Amino acid sequence: MGKVLIFGHQNPDTDAIGAAIAYANLQKELGIDAEAVALGTPNEETQFALEHFGLTAPRVVEKIAAETNEVMLVDHNEFQQSVSDIEDLTILAVVDHHRIANFQTANPLYYRAEPVGCTSTIVLKLYKENNIAVPAKIAGIMLSAIISDTLLFKSPTCTQEDIDAANELAEIARVDLNSYGLDLLKAGTNLSTKSEAELLDLDAKSFPMADKTVRIAQVNTVDLDEVFARQDALRDAMLDENVKNGYDLFLLLVTNVLNSDSELLVAGEPREMVTEAFKVKLENDRAFLPGVVSRKKQIVPQLTEAFEK
């Protein structure tokens, strides 16, 4: 076995980066020549976590086949969310907490998927199963991933396993979980300096639904009005992305991390699927979704069901 590259999904969030770093460190401890890489530059929240714990951001790659043909995936499995030449690579392992879709391999592989709130929760289990201690810095970035993915345990995707893992990792990393968690989430809500295109690309994933391609982006904020003051420009940018990339429907989920409510901005067609999925009426291309914070659990399944009817 040669060099193995480990990475999360495109437009990486804190779990995509953190799980890659942690899993690569575990593989090194197990004797594998592994390196964590990223399919995009870390966002402000992730960069805050990396700097806090004295870690270097993984190098960004666009293609991998020219460098190695062996990879491991974390925090994703769907090929459209992965590196562009994924079909040319040998996938040795996947560690994930999402649905399994659009995924196939020619060879057997190690696949670990669990219905928890964060991939890093699963990675912690793997450290324990292999009797390998988690270094403090690695514990810090894993803790950050859990805080981010569960919105400090407010997301419906959060499980008791995530909470227990976060408390354990906070002790190893020597931080106060709640105060650090709030600082981390607030670090990711500085949106004023970003263009509309940058906002839409911060945390966005594409999903095939029936014969359509649905793009769903999510941004976190402490002030919904601040984001929607740019509504016209955001909608125009979403429509432009639809044309350039062949998306049929583009949804922007804007989530208030303080009160766990979201508002949805919709561009493209068939928008009646949004009405069907969430039992809401779109007004000025918007719909308020109280208590909705999770794309994975509260947006994608409902939309998929609406498209399949």
Side-chain angles (χ1 to χ4, degrees):
M1 182 184 297
K3 183 71 167 286
V4 176
L5 297 186
I6 300 176
F7 51 88
H9 52 75
Q10 298 172 19
N11 304 311
D13 56 12
T14 303
D15 193 29
I17 297 288
I21 291 173
Y23 196 51
N25 181 74
L26 175 62
Q27 294 303 317
K28 290 176 186 176
E29 292 290 332
L30 295 173
I32 294 174
D33 183 14
E35 179 191 357
V37 294
L39 304 187
T41 304
N43 60 36
E44 288 185 335
E45 177 192 271
T46 309
Q47 192 59 47
F48 175 89
L50 291 168
E51 291 175 0
H52 186 93
F53 293 106
L55 291 166
T56 301
R59 63 187 175 95
V60 176
V61 299
E62 295 182 359
K63 293 185 176 182
I64 288 177
E67 183 175 352
T68 182
N69 72 333
E70 295 181 313
V71 299
M72 298 180 181
L73 313 184
V74 296
D75 201 31
H76 77 296
N77 66 83
E78 298 187 49
F79 278 13
Q80 75 273 12
Q81 297 174 9
S82 197
V83 72
S84 61
D85 57 351
I86 187 65
E87 295 189 28
D88 300 325
L89 306 172
T90 298
I91 303 171
L92 302 177
V94 176
V95 182
D96 192 18
H97 68 131
H98 295 95
R99 70 176 191 174
I100 301 172
N102 306 305
F103 178 87
Q104 62 181 14
T105 63
N107 301 307
L109 74 161
Y110 176 84
Y111 202 110
R112 183 73 168 261
E114 296 187 20
V116 293
C118 182
T119 304
S120 290
T121 297
I122 307 170
V123 176
L124 176 61
K125 290 184 181 183
L126 296 175
Y127 272 86
K128 292 180 174 181
E129 290 167 11
N130 286 280
N131 295 312
I132 294 174
V134 182
K137 291 182 179 181
I138 301 296
I141 196 65
M142 293 169 72
L143 168 65
S144 303
I146 296 172
I147 291 169
S148 176
D149 265 16
T150 68
L151 289 179
L152 200 52
F153 315 136
K154 292 180 181 178
S155 171
T157 62
C158 183
T159 68
Q160 188 60 47
E161 290 185 74
D162 298 297
I163 297 171
D164 293 343
N167 278 283
E168 182 175 343
L169 291 166
E171 185 173 343
I172 298 171
R174 298 185 293 276
V175 296
D176 180 84
L177 195 160
N178 288 310
S179 61
Y180 172 73
L182 287 172
D183 288 342
L184 175 74
L185 292 178
K186 289 178 181 177
T189 63
N190 181 21
L191 308 178
S192 60
T193 61
K194 293 179 173 58
S195 68
E196 284 74 28
E198 288 171 329
L199 282 179
L200 296 177
D201 204 41
L202 279 175
D203 181 8
K205 295 180 180 180
S206 300
F207 300 89
M209 296 186 184
D211 61 343
K212 306 295 183 183
T213 298
V214 181
R215 183 74 163 174
I216 307 175
Q218 184 171 19
V219 297
N220 292 335
T221 183
V222 294
D223 185 356
L224 292 176
D225 291 339
E226 178 185 7
V227 177
F228 282 98
R230 305 163 66 177
Q231 176 174 332
D232 290 345
L234 283 167
R235 182 175 50 218
D236 290 345
M238 293 162 70
L239 291 170
D240 185 54
E241 289 290 313
N242 287 353
V243 173
K244 288 195 301 183
N245 298 293
Y247 309 140
D248 297 285
L249 185 65
F250 200 129
L251 277 59
L252 173 61
L253 185 70
V254 185
T255 300
N256 188 321
V257 298
L258 298 182
N259 62 20
S260 301
D261 292 328
S262 295
E263 192 148 1
L264 199 62
L265 180 62
V266 179
E269 297 292 344
R271 61 185 47 224
E272 62 269 19
M273 295 301 171
V274 177
T275 300
E276 171 66 24
F278 307 112
K279 310 304 179 188
V280 294
K281 181 180 179 181
L282 291 176
E283 296 184 4
N284 191 24
D285 300 320
R286 290 165 57 176
F288 184 66
L289 303 179
V292 171
V293 297
S294 171
R295 173 175 53 200
K296 181 179 76 172
K297 193 165 185 177
Q298 295 173 296
I299 298 293
V300 174
Q302 290 80 353
L303 269 177
T304 301
E305 183 179 356
F307 270 93
E308 291 177 350
K309 285 185 178 178

